[in-house]
Amino acid sequence: NRYGSMTEEILELILADPTLGEPLPAADDYLRAEIVYAASHEGARHLDDVLTRRTRISIETFDRGTRSARLCAELMAPVLGWDADRIDREVEHYEKRVEAERESQRQPDDLTADAVRLGAPDIVPG
């Protein structure tokens, strides 16, 4: 239901690599193919984009996607030409972003919360 007429494109990815038909272990409402699709067809260039906007893993899982982050980055890597260092940076950035979000929720007011949340570093391609 998430992809409508684009479902065939997801199924083609799975046909080419049946392991992409498996659910993500820590976000089992999503298939591995959906992560690859976000990078190959939807223009996602960063892990946080996939986990927060292309999917809703960051708000639909208890851990906000941190347990799925590394596998998702590894699935994106071949599509985007990432090496192991880039995978590590993407995961580290995402984990820092999630921690900043969690810390912002412990703040006494919106102004302080926004400052904490916005304090997470931006990802810089490298």
Side-chain angles (χ1 to χ4, degrees):
N1 290 331
R2 286 193 282 261
Y3 293 92
S5 64
M6 305 300 189
T7 300
E8 291 296 321
E9 294 175 356
I10 297 284
L11 294 174
E12 287 173 11
L13 290 172
I14 295 169
L15 186 59
D17 179 355
T19 65
L20 296 179
E22 297 173 14
L24 292 170
D28 59 5
D29 287 341
Y30 291 89
L31 299 177
R32 295 169 188 226
E34 294 179 77
I35 306 307
V36 173
Y37 186 82
S40 64
H41 289 73
E42 295 181 335
R45 295 293 170 253
H46 296 288
L47 178 61
D48 67 338
D49 184 19
V50 170
L51 295 176
T52 62
R53 289 178 289 282
R54 309 305 168 140
T55 68
R56 303 191 43 93
I57 291 171
S58 70
I59 62 170
E60 291 179 348
T61 61
F62 177 76
D63 71 324
R64 299 185 188 193
T66 57
R67 292 186 306 153
S68 301
R70 179 151 306 271
L71 176 57
C72 290
E74 290 169 354
L75 289 166
M76 296 171 67
V79 175
L80 300 175
W82 293 352
D83 61 13
D85 288 340
R86 178 63 183 267
I87 290 169
D88 289 344
R89 284 195 313 274
E90 291 282 337
V91 172
E92 180 182 357
H93 166 75
Y94 185 73
E95 289 171 345
K96 286 180 180 178
R97 181 193 160 280
V98 168
E99 183 52 39
E101 293 273 336
R102 287 179 176 144
E103 183 61 27
S104 76
Q105 293 172 340
R106 293 189 279 268
Q107 300 308 307
D109 57 64
D110 289 345
L111 187 61
T112 308
D114 281 345
V116 168
R117 186 180 51 79
L118 295 173
D122 287 332
I123 187 89
V124 177

